[in-house]
Amino acid sequence: MAKKLCVVFPGRRYSTDRSLLYFPTQILESRGFETFLLHYDIPREVEEVEPLEENIRNAASDALNKTSSIPFEDYEKIVFLSKSIGTLVATNLKNFIKERTKVIHQILITPLERTLPLIEKDDLVIVGDHDRFFPDAREKLALYPNAYVFPSFTHSLEVPGNYRLTIKTLGDICGIVESYAESLDL
């Protein structure tokens, strides 16, 4: 059986045990993936403790240090599952280690706009069209075949005041992740 690894990159105040990362992780684990959950040394409880740029630098440094012992070359299939600032950290780490591994597939949930130049055509991208960190997402992602832009959804992939639609959409997102994994035979 092929060795498979999923590395999960959280957001600034969005840990790996929250729904948009937890359930896709469960999907990949059910497909035989080992998981490596990153936890940044960034306080989540306090609003805007550090500027975003500093959060990104610290998260990237944490990720590089915490993944340095992973033998990526031993895995036949690798998925980087990320949310928010984690998408920028994951895409940069992918470029940093690409010589050590075969293919790394990415599932990017609510990426930051500045992640756009690092997104590849076969990456899965999930974002809301009211995401303040990725304005005009629909137009900017039009050429990406695996991009899903949810109308009226914010950066947290919620519709304020409509918890039913938010919960339904979480199920839709899980279905999209499952279909993506099946299409790539992950």
Side-chain angles (χ1 to χ4, degrees), residues 103-119:
V103 175
I104 298 174
H105 300 283
Q106 295 207 83
I107 300 172
L108 306 157
I109 301 174
T110 66
L112 301 180
E113 180 180 20
R114 55 194 269 199
T115 307
L116 187 59
L118 303 170
I119 297 173

Side-chain angles (χ1 to χ4, degrees), residues 9 63-64 67 72 80 89-98:
F9 298 80
L64 189 58
T67 60
F72 288 106
F80 282 1
V89 174
T91 52
N92 279 307
L93 182 63
K94 176 183 175 180
N95 287 332
F96 183 74
I97 66 166
K98 66 182 172 189

Side-chain angles (χ1 to χ4, degrees), residues 42-67:
I42 298 172
R44 289 183 297 149
E45 297 77 21
V46 181
E47 191 77 17
E48 304 299 328
V49 170
E50 299 172 329
L52 183 62
E53 291 304 315
E54 193 172 333
N55 281 161
I56 292 168
R57 278 193 304 278
N58 290 341
S61 176
D62 284 351
L64 189 58
N65 290 333
K66 292 174 180 175
T67 60

Side-chain angles (χ1 to χ4, degrees), residues 106-111 116 119-129 134 136-151 157 172-173 176-177 180 183:
Q106 295 207 83
I107 300 172
L108 306 157
I109 301 174
T110 66
L116 187 59
I119 297 173
E120 296 180 3
K121 293 287 185 211
D122 65 340
D123 291 340
L124 175 60
V125 183
I126 299 171
V127 67
D129 72 352
F134 203 127
D136 305 316
R138 186 170 309 285
E139 294 80 23
K140 292 173 183 169
L141 293 169
L143 298 177
Y144 293 86
N146 296 313
Y148 294 83
V149 182
F150 287 88
L157 283 175
D172 294 343
I173 290 168
I176 290 166
V177 170
Y180 177 74
S183 74

